[in-house]
Amino acid sequence: MIRLIALKELRSLFHAPSTWYILGGMQLVLGWLFLALISQFMSEQTQLALNPYLKGATEEIVPWFFREIVSPLLMVVTPIFAMRLMTDERRNQTLALLLSAPVSSAGIVLGKFAGLLTFLWLVILFVAAMNLTLNIGTEMDIGLLLSNVAGLLLLAAANGSLALYISSLTAQPLAAAIAAEAALLGPWLIERNAFDRYRFWQDIAPSGHFHHFNSGLLDSGDAIYYLVFTVFFLTLAIRRLDNTRIYG
Amino acid sequence: MSLAPITLEAHSLVRQFGRHSAVRGVSLELRRGEVLGLLGHNGAGKSTTLQMLSGVLQPHSGRIEICGFDLARQPEQAKSCVGFLPETPPLYRDMRVEAYLTFTAGLRRVPRGRIAGALAETLRRCGLQDVRGKIIGTLSKGYQQRVGIAQAIIHNPEVVILDEPTIGLDPAQLRDIRALIRELGDTRSVILSTHLLGEVENICDRVEIMHEGRLIYGDTSVRMKAFGNGEMKLEDIYIEITQTHAGQEDAP
C-alpha cells in the first residue's frame, strides 16, 4: 500500500512540467558551478603542488561543492516538491478517498514520504554521478564522496519529513512551501554563522550534523540524529492526519 | 427480504463540531439487496453521518459495524467492504481516468491480477469506456461524477455509500446512474443521501428522514407514499413530516 501511494506521488511529480524545469535548472546550475570549481583547481594546481600538505582534487572540490552548493540548493527545492503532498489532498477534497480506503494514517504518510524521498534521492544520485566524473581525470577518493552522499541522503530524509509535516498543516501549497523554507533555511543560516560557543545550534539544526559526513567522517551519532528527526516529524504528520478524522 | 444478512449497522452515532451537534444519536441498519435513501434539509447531518459510516470521520460516541467488522477496532477489514463517494468526488484532476481507477482499485485492495478485469467491468457499468484515456480535469461535471461513482464500486464492495450521487447530471445520465444504483442495490447494499424526492421514489427501497441530526421518520418508500392516504405528493409528505417534527421540538 505504501508502494502504491509512493508511486502515485512520484508519477504526479513527474507529470508536472514545473518539476522538469526545476530539475533541469538545478542540473544546469550545479554543472556550471562544478565546472567552475574544477577550473579553479586546475589553475591553482601548480601552486598546490608546492605545498607539502597537498590536497587532492577530490578533497578540494567535493566537500565544498556538497556543503556550500548542493545541500543548500536541496534545502531550497525540497519544500517546492513537498508542498503539494498533503495540501492538495485537502484543497481538492481527495483526502476522503484515502481516509475511506483500508489504509492506516501511517500508511498514507509513509507512502507520500517514500515518494518524495525517492525523488530527492534520485536528484542526489545525479549529483553523485556528476562528481564521479572526476574519476576520468584523476584518481578519486571514493570514500570521501560516499560519505558526503550518505550524509546528503540522510539530510534529505530529515528535510523531507519536516516539509511533509508542514504540508499536512494547511490547505495552501504556497503557505506550506514558505513555512517549510523558513523552517529549513532559518536554522541553517543560524548554524552556519554560529561560533563554536554556540554549539547548541549545530546540535539542533539538521545541517549542523552534516559537517562530519562532509569531511569524510561517518559518525553514527549524526546518523541517529537524522533518523530520530525524520521519525519525529513523520509521527507528527501521522498524528495530524489522525486528528483530521477526529476533529473533521 | 428480511432474511437477507445485515451488512451495515450503526448504533447511536453522535458527532459534534465544537458546540454544534451535527448528529445526535443516529441508529440504522442496512441489509443486502437494499437501497436506503437518506433524506433531509441542508445541514440536517446527512453528509456527516455518511462520512462516519465510511470511516472518514470518527464518531464521538456510538458504534459502526460493517460486514461484521467493527469500524473502530478493525478499520481495515471493515473499510475493505465499503465504497464511498463523498459530496465532492475525490478526483485527482491531473490523472487519466484509467490510471486513477487503477490506483483506487489498488488502494481498495483489489488483487493485482484482478485489477484489469475490475477496471474493464467498472468502465462499462459507468459508461466511461470512451473517456478512459482522458485526463479527469478535462471531463464534464457529469463524467467526473461518474468517475467518482466508479471509484466507489470498482472493488465490488458489499456496502456502497453515495453522498448525493446524481448531482450535476443531465437527464439521460441521471437515468443511467439511477439504473446503475438500482442494479447495485440488487446484490449489494446501497445507502445514499439526496434532496431529490423523485430519486427516493425511483430507486430506494427504504427511506430515513433526517432532521437536525436525528432520524425522525423511517419506512419503506412505498409506505411513505401512502403516508397521506395516497392523496399527497411525496414532496408534501416530506415537508409535513419535517415540519411536524420541528413543531414538536419547539413545544415545551
Side-chain angles (χ1 to χ4, degrees):
Chain A
M1 208 54 77
I2 292 175
R3 210 183 118 235
L4 184 76
I5 297 175
L7 283 176
K8 192 233 140 216
E9 288 308 329
L10 263 182
R11 190 197 167 101
S12 68
L13 266 176
F14 281 118
H15 263 259
S18 58
T19 307
W20 294 98
Y21 294 143
I22 296 171
L23 278 184
M26 248 179 98
Q27 281 306 92
L28 194 73
V29 169
L30 288 176
W32 190 267
L33 290 169
F34 186 61
L35 211 62
L37 279 177
I38 293 178
S39 91
Q40 191 190 356
F41 175 78
M42 302 275 272
S43 66
E44 288 172 358
Q45 208 176 15
T46 41
Q47 286 176 346
L48 284 170
L50 300 172
N51 190 336
Y53 303 105
L54 178 71
K55 277 182 176 177
T58 318
E59 213 178 331
E60 273 289 312
I61 296 171
V62 172
W64 199 88
F65 188 61
F66 272 76
R67 188 181 64 241
E68 301 295 328
I69 296 167
V70 184
S71 76
L73 199 61
L74 212 58
M75 250 179 262
V76 173
V77 297
T78 303
I80 298 173
F81 294 125
M83 67 181 177
R84 293 189 180 282
L85 285 177
M86 298 301 278
T87 53
D88 267 8
E89 302 279 357
R90 278 183 211 282
R91 213 160 49 121
N92 302 332
Q93 307 195 14
T94 44
L95 205 53
L97 176 73
L98 298 175
L99 293 181
S100 67
V103 200
S104 62
S105 299
I108 298 171
V109 168
L110 289 178
K112 287 182 174 280
F113 180 66
L116 175 70
L117 202 58
T118 309
F119 179 81
L120 292 175
W121 282 8
L122 218 62
V123 174
I124 294 172
L125 288 184
F126 272 108
V127 174
M130 188 190 288
N131 279 266
L132 212 55
T133 54
L134 278 180
N135 222 5
I136 299 169
T138 177
E139 200 170 307
M140 266 192 91
D141 179 354
I142 299 288
L144 183 61
L145 176 63
L146 284 183
S147 93
N148 268 284
V149 170
L152 210 55
L153 293 178
L154 289 170
L155 180 64
N159 289 345
S161 70
L162 178 56
L164 172 64
Y165 168 60
I166 291 175
S167 158
S168 75
L169 295 177
T170 165
Q172 303 301 326
L174 209 60
I178 293 170
E181 294 286 2
L184 291 178
L185 292 176
W188 171 68
L189 280 173
I190 297 173
E191 176 268 323
R192 216 180 118 82
N193 298 306
F195 300 107
D196 272 351
R197 59 194 160 108
Y198 301 120
R199 271 296 305 268
F200 171 72
W201 283 103
Q202 281 189 11
D203 290 341
I204 270 214
S207 58
H209 291 262
F210 182 59
H211 298 309
H212 285 151
F213 287 106
N214 191 231
S215 55
L217 201 66
L218 289 176
D219 185 337
S220 56
D222 290 329
I224 290 170
Y225 165 86
Y226 283 127
L227 218 63
V228 170
F229 188 95
T230 307
V231 170
F232 177 71
F233 281 103
L234 288 180
T235 311
L236 285 187
I238 294 167
R239 285 289 305 264
R240 168 77 187 138
L241 204 57
D242 277 335
N243 284 348
T244 308
R245 278 188 228 262
I246 298 168
Y247 300 111
Chain B
M1 180 71 112
S2 60
L3 291 173
I6 293 175
T7 48
L8 183 144
E9 216 176 342
H11 294 286
S12 13
L13 297 180
V14 173
R15 175 74 213 195
Q16 286 162 329
F17 290 106
R19 286 189 166 181
H20 170 68
S21 298
V23 174
R24 328 181 208 185
V26 166
S27 300
L28 42 87
E29 216 178 73
L30 197 58
R31 288 174 188 277
R32 183 180 289 162
E34 205 174 34
V35 180
L36 171 65
L38 206 54
L39 270 175
H41 295 321
N42 285 323
K46 303 188 298 284
S47 289
T48 309
T49 306
L50 295 186
Q51 281 177 4
M52 287 193 286
L53 294 179
S54 57
V56 172
L57 208 58
Q58 245 175 43
H60 282 131
S61 72
R63 197 164 57 83
I64 300 167
E65 222 172 76
I66 299 165
C67 300
F69 298 111
D70 188 313
L71 188 59
R73 295 216 184 102
Q74 299 158 289
E76 293 182 14
Q77 286 96 323
K79 283 179 186 176
S80 321
C81 307
V82 177
F84 177 48
L85 170 71
E87 214 169 342
T88 316
L91 306 173
Y92 295 110
R93 301 172 59 85
D94 57 342
M95 284 177 103
R96 291 178 198 281
V97 173
E98 219 167 13
Y100 171 75
L101 291 177
T102 308
F103 170 66
T104 55
L107 206 60
R108 255 72 187 250
R109 304 231 161 131
V110 177
R112 204 178 296 176
R114 266 190 250 151
I115 287 183
L119 178 69
E121 169 70 6
T122 309
L123 287 173
R124 186 192 61 75
R125 282 178 112 176
C126 300
L128 289 166
Q129 291 111 319
D130 298 339
V131 297
R132 60 193 297 167
K134 290 206 172 154
I135 290 170
I136 295 175
T138 64
L139 296 177
S140 68
K141 195 162 186 284
Y143 270 110
Q144 290 189 359
Q145 189 70 21
R146 287 200 217 186
V147 178
I149 295 175
Q151 64 74 29
I153 64 173
I154 192 160
H155 52 307
N156 202 7
E158 199 62 51
V159 180
V160 182
I161 301 174
L162 307 168
D163 198 351
E164 305 197 3
T166 51
I167 221 162
L169 299 178
D170 66 37
Q173 292 170 334
L174 205 63
R175 197 190 52 206
D176 294 349
I177 293 300
R178 281 181 182 167
L180 173 65
I181 295 172
R182 200 47 264 179
E183 185 193 323
L184 282 172
D186 290 339
T187 51
R188 301 288 176 225
S189 314
V190 180
I191 173 164
L192 59 92
S193 74
T194 182
H195 293 294
L196 306 172
L197 291 153
E199 205 149 284
V200 172
E201 216 168 347
N202 283 327
I203 52 180
C204 297
D205 301 308
R206 214 148 56 78
V207 186
E208 294 278 359
I209 296 179
M210 208 168 173
H211 187 70
E212 293 181 350
R214 287 199 181 90
L215 293 179
I216 55 166
Y217 177 88
D219 213 333
T220 63
S221 51
V222 179
R223 261 188 278 174
M224 182 177 165
K225 268 186 276 181
F227 185 82
N229 303 321
E231 288 162 15
M232 285 160 88
K233 278 197 289 181
L234 204 56
E235 203 177 324
D236 300 324
I237 296 171
Y238 167 71
I239 289 171
E240 165 110 11
I241 292 171
T242 47
Q243 274 179 353
T244 316
H245 189 82
Q248 282 168 359
E249 289 245 306
D250 292 342

